[in-house]
Amino acid sequence: MKVAAWCGVAYLVLTVISLSSVLIFQGIEAGFVVSIFINLIGSALGFFFLYGFVVLGKKFNNSFLQVMAWIGIGFAILAFILGFFAAIFSLVTNVSAQDETVRTYCISETDYGKYYWTQGAVKMQDKETFTDYCDELGELHEFYCDYDTNELLEKEYACPEGCSDGKCSGETRFLEGESMKFFYGIIFIFLLFFIFLILPFSVYSILFGISLLKMGKKVEHAKTTGILNIISGATYIILIGFVIKLVALVFEIVLLFKASKKFEK
């Protein structure tokens, strides 16, 4: 269990680095790539860390804890496999991007596609920015990204009520056309994120917390750790659960260290 606890310490450090990698490394793309590789190592450490709870469950005849720990190990293995393929894809994508014309590689867009009632800007990989503008004839020049090819595109649009400050004048209209597709795409991604990530981890954290509560006073900090896991599982949907989970992780590490000392004696 002591080895598992030390793996937990390493996992905690890597988790913090992964969450802050975008800030540590200049550029969102670089931070994302580093984060993938860190999570890959973290998934492997998570396997050994969770196995400590399998051993703990055996020591105290807590079959529920053993089952939840094995399920967690299954998640860790799945995360490792997905992380491995994500790392390969990231490397291939970066190599391919270096062979293309840098200027055609979009990084971000502020008005979500062809939306004429908000002045938007497209940022390119070479740091150049293209901002929507009105020409001398009163037509809007709308810059946007083709997300299939990452190319910068430009469209001239005759605003119904005239053009000013890089956008159409008059009453702001709701998203339409390409912007509407982008908007629905974001909603779809969020639903997938919720169904396949947030919901399973919420249920798992709550059940894992309950399994720790069953330890009672047999192991120091088991009750506190269980409560923190339950709270984190219930609050993942509002994101604060991820912060609470980090605190729970600290208590899980301390719990394993305490339990290992108890059995050494």
Side-chain angles (χ1 to χ4, degrees):
M1 282 187 286
K2 184 179 287 187
V3 173
W6 280 114
C7 286
V9 173
Y11 176 76
L12 177 62
V13 172
L14 287 176
T15 299
V16 174
I17 294 175
S18 175
L19 293 173
S20 57
S21 59
V22 173
L23 299 176
I24 294 173
F25 300 93
Q26 294 183 353
I28 295 177
E29 185 182 358
F32 178 71
V33 172
V34 171
S35 178
I36 288 176
F37 282 96
I38 289 176
N39 285 329
L40 190 62
I41 300 171
S43 298
L45 290 170
F47 174 89
F48 296 102
F49 174 61
L50 286 166
Y51 187 73
F53 289 95
V54 174
V55 176
L56 188 66
K58 288 181 180 179
K59 294 287 186 181
F60 289 97
N61 296 318
N62 188 336
S63 57
F64 188 24
L65 179 59
Q66 292 180 60
V67 170
M68 295 312 302
W70 278 116
I71 292 174
I73 289 171
F75 278 131
I77 293 173
L78 179 62
F80 181 85
I81 294 172
L82 293 176
F84 175 78
F85 284 108
I88 297 298
F89 177 78
S90 179
L91 285 174
V92 172
T93 302
N94 279 304
V95 170
S96 299
Q98 292 175 3
D99 295 333
E100 297 176 358
T101 303
V102 174
R103 185 168 177 171
T104 63
Y105 187 22
C106 294
I107 291 180
S108 64
E109 185 176 5
T110 60
D111 60 351
Y112 313 114
K114 289 185 289 186
Y115 185 54
Y116 309 120
W117 282 266
T118 298
Q119 185 181 38
V122 177
K123 185 176 181 181
M124 309 302 291
Q125 190 183 31
D126 62 356
K127 307 301 182 184
E128 189 173 2
T129 300
F130 294 84
T131 305
D132 303 338
Y133 69 93
C134 303
D135 62 22
E136 61 276 5
L137 299 177
E139 285 196 334
L140 173 67
H141 289 251
E142 175 78 11
F143 293 102
Y144 63 98
C145 288
D146 183 336
Y147 287 99
D148 292 327
T149 62
N150 274 336
E151 289 183 337
L152 174 69
L153 300 177
E154 179 182 2
K155 180 178 179 180
E156 294 183 18
Y157 179 74
C159 299
E161 300 180 46
C163 181
S164 64
D165 298 324
K167 61 182 179 180
C168 288
S169 304
E171 184 179 355
T172 300
R173 303 185 185 182
F174 192 63
L175 301 176
E176 58 183 31
E178 295 296 322
S179 297
M180 181 62 77
K181 292 179 182 178
F182 186 88
F183 177 72
Y184 283 133
I186 292 295
I187 294 177
F188 179 70
I189 290 172
F190 175 78
L191 288 175
L192 289 179
F193 181 75
F194 175 77
I195 293 171
F196 293 105
L197 187 65
I198 297 294
L199 189 59
F201 276 99
S202 295
V203 174
Y204 175 78
S205 291
I206 292 172
L207 294 177
F208 185 70
I210 294 172
S211 70
L212 288 171
L213 287 178
K214 287 182 173 290
M215 299 292 292
K217 297 181 179 179
K218 296 176 182 178
V219 179
E220 193 175 351
H221 302 305
K223 185 176 180 180
T224 303
T225 308
I227 292 172
L228 285 171
N229 271 282
I230 292 171
I231 295 174
S232 68
T235 55
Y236 273 142
I237 187 62
I238 56 174
L239 301 182
I240 193 173
F242 291 97
V243 178
I244 298 173
K245 181 58 184 178
L246 285 177
V247 178
L249 181 57
V250 173
F251 275 90
E252 288 168 9
I253 293 168
V254 174
L255 185 153
L256 287 178
F257 274 123
K258 292 283 187 181
S260 64
K261 284 185 178 180
K262 183 175 182 179
F263 286 109
E264 284 177 0
K265 293 179 180 178

